[in-house]
Amino acid sequence: MSVANEKLEDQPVSKQRLRLWLQMLKTTRFIENELREELRLGFQSTLPRFDVMAMLDRTREGLRMSQLSKQLMVSNGNVTGIIDRLVQEGFVMRVQVKGDKRATLVRLTPKGIEKFAEMAAEHERWINEHLKEIDETEIGHFIDILSKVREEDH
Amino acid sequence: MSVANEKLEDQPVSKQRLRLWLQMLKTTRFIENELREELRLGFQSTLPRFDVMAMLDRTREGLRMSQLSKQLMVSNGNVTGIIDRLVQEGFVMRVQVKGDKRATLVRLTPKGIEKFAEMAAEHERWINEHLKEIDETEIGHFIDILSKVREEDH
DNA sequence: CAAAAATACTTCAAGCCTAAAATTTTGAGC
DNA sequence: GCTCAAAATTTTAGGCTTGAAGTATTTTTG
């Protein structure tokens, strides 16, 4: 590729991608702020707790701490603290894995399942409202682009 | 709208929007994790500090604390702590606004300008690499969709 | 089988983040 | 000038987050 090409084509695209990234960040931050507020006022809960409960709701038999932190892309030590508080509140319980005394299985309590169902219904409504401008065709396209980013990046 | 319609059309779209949101979150979290690591290893810095410096670099005459927190969409008290550390490191300085003793102007020091220039160049390269799968046509489309979300939501 | 390496998790220190309360200063209305 | 609401920022308490160090257990390997 020529030097002229680099100046005329690569540079602008690189700046555009940067602009796109800043928009992505701003938009997700905006929606996260809204959700945080809604969870706080409506359920006296937080986003991280909701995320953990959502993951546990999908796997009722429970998940290991390491699986949780990997799926949520947050550190190991972080999950420990969030689970501590959820256990404290009675929404989650720790169960020993038999055959491996190092591991812990974490699962929702009946109270946790009930609470999550309420939160999830509202959550879906909030998201649908915030993203209402994106139509069915765009959703698919958008998801494709996003998954390409994560695939490529390994 | 009929009940049948609601079941056949609204429900699925609402689920799809939810899925889209989860993908957005996962993708931005992934890229943020990469950037955090790169800033830490390459510059002994952090994402929040970089964000603040980026904002200050765009407005060399300085910004008020309140403008900073509004632009970055983070709380007032949060910015105080980040600026404290940047001042400590010598990259930022606080200047009194004359005519209003309540307000503080914050601006980059020469050392801060220099440091930021280095970081910004690398940062643009990292973003361009992570988003390399998104071509010029898609970028524009993507940005349009994102801005619609924030517009609509007020 | 004993030593070493790997795995699962927790603890720790430091930084980021929020909402709410506190502090200081400003600006109106009297 | 005085009073008081509004504005700009900091402080505070509590929760989230990370990377690194620590503990216990399991697996590998010599």
Side-chain angles (χ1 to χ4, degrees):
Chain A
M1 187 184 293
S2 73
V3 174
N5 248 347
E6 200 173 297
K7 194 155 195 181
L8 290 172
E9 295 183 326
D10 287 5
Q11 274 272 352
V13 173
S14 142
K15 289 281 183 207
Q16 283 193 314
R17 290 206 177 95
L18 186 56
R19 207 176 134 234
L20 170 58
W21 167 244
L22 295 176
Q23 293 289 312
M24 269 180 75
L25 210 51
K26 198 164 191 172
T27 305
T28 57
R29 198 171 287 182
F30 172 77
I31 295 180
E32 279 188 317
N33 282 347
E34 299 275 313
L35 294 178
R36 187 197 330 284
E37 170 106 354
E38 289 161 333
L39 277 175
R40 186 174 62 90
L41 298 179
F43 298 96
Q44 295 77 53
S45 191
T46 67
L47 227 30
R49 284 191 252 241
F50 178 81
D51 288 345
V52 167
M53 289 177 80
M55 196 61 78
L56 294 178
D57 191 66
R58 270 196 258 168
T59 317
R60 288 290 173 78
E61 63 274 23
L63 282 172
R64 289 177 178 216
M65 296 297 282
S66 49
Q67 294 176 302
L68 262 179
S69 73
K70 189 178 171 186
Q71 287 294 316
L72 296 173
M73 295 207 279
V74 300
S75 69
N76 249 328
N78 189 7
V79 176
T80 297
I82 296 169
I83 292 295
D84 283 349
R85 285 177 284 270
L86 285 171
V87 168
Q88 187 76 28
E89 296 172 329
F91 297 134
V92 156
M93 57 182 168
R94 286 186 165 101
V95 183
Q96 285 307 313
V97 173
K98 58 177 176 180
D100 192 342
K101 285 183 200 148
R102 293 169 306 177
T104 316
L105 216 57
V106 176
R107 70 162 62 129
L108 289 179
T109 61
K111 183 181 164 193
I113 292 172
E114 195 184 347
K115 172 87 165 188
F116 179 74
E118 292 171 38
M119 291 196 294
E122 278 293 307
H123 179 262
E124 185 174 328
R125 229 165 290 149
W126 296 329
I127 294 298
N128 193 47
E129 178 62 24
H130 288 310
L131 301 187
K132 66 172 182 287
E133 291 305 307
I134 308 184
D135 67 33
E136 221 154 347
T137 321
E138 289 173 321
I139 294 174
H141 190 200
F142 206 158
I143 290 182
D144 285 348
I145 294 177
L146 289 172
S147 59
K148 264 198 295 185
V149 171
R150 292 212 313 290
E151 257 170 46
E152 193 58 30
D153 265 344
H154 158 263
Chain B
M1 188 184 289
S2 73
V3 173
N5 248 349
E6 200 174 297
K7 193 152 195 181
L8 291 172
E9 295 184 326
D10 287 5
Q11 274 272 352
V13 174
S14 142
K15 289 280 182 208
Q16 283 193 315
R17 291 208 176 94
L18 187 56
R19 208 177 133 233
L20 170 57
W21 167 244
L22 296 175
Q23 293 290 311
M24 271 179 75
L25 210 51
K26 198 163 191 172
T27 306
T28 56
R29 200 170 287 182
F30 172 77
I31 296 180
E32 279 188 317
N33 282 347
E34 299 276 311
L35 293 178
R36 185 198 330 285
E37 171 106 353
E38 289 162 332
L39 277 175
R40 186 174 62 89
L41 298 179
F43 298 96
Q44 296 78 53
S45 191
T46 68
L47 226 31
R49 285 191 254 242
F50 179 82
D51 288 345
V52 166
M53 288 177 80
M55 196 61 77
L56 293 178
D57 191 65
R58 269 195 261 169
T59 316
R60 289 289 172 79
E61 63 275 22
L63 281 172
R64 291 179 176 213
M65 296 298 281
S66 49
Q67 293 176 303
L68 262 179
S69 73
K70 191 177 171 186
Q71 288 294 317
L72 296 172
M73 294 207 279
V74 300
S75 68
N76 249 329
N78 189 9
V79 176
T80 298
I82 295 169
I83 292 295
D84 283 350
R85 286 177 283 270
L86 284 172
V87 168
Q88 187 75 27
E89 295 172 329
F91 298 133
V92 156
M93 57 181 168
R94 285 187 165 100
V95 183
Q96 286 306 313
V97 172
K98 60 178 175 178
D100 191 341
K101 285 183 199 147
R102 294 169 304 178
T104 317
L105 216 56
V106 176
R107 69 162 61 128
L108 291 179
T109 60
K111 184 180 164 193
I113 291 172
E114 194 184 347
K115 172 86 164 188
F116 179 74
E118 291 171 40
M119 291 196 294
E122 279 293 308
H123 179 261
E124 185 173 329
R125 229 166 289 150
W126 295 329
I127 294 298
N128 194 48
E129 178 62 24
H130 288 310
L131 301 186
K132 66 171 181 288
E133 291 305 307
I134 308 184
D135 67 33
E136 221 153 347
T137 320
E138 289 173 321
I139 295 174
H141 190 201
F142 206 159
I143 290 182
D144 285 348
I145 295 177
L146 289 172
S147 59
K148 265 197 293 183
V149 171
R150 291 212 314 289
E151 258 170 45
E152 194 58 32
D153 265 344
H154 161 266

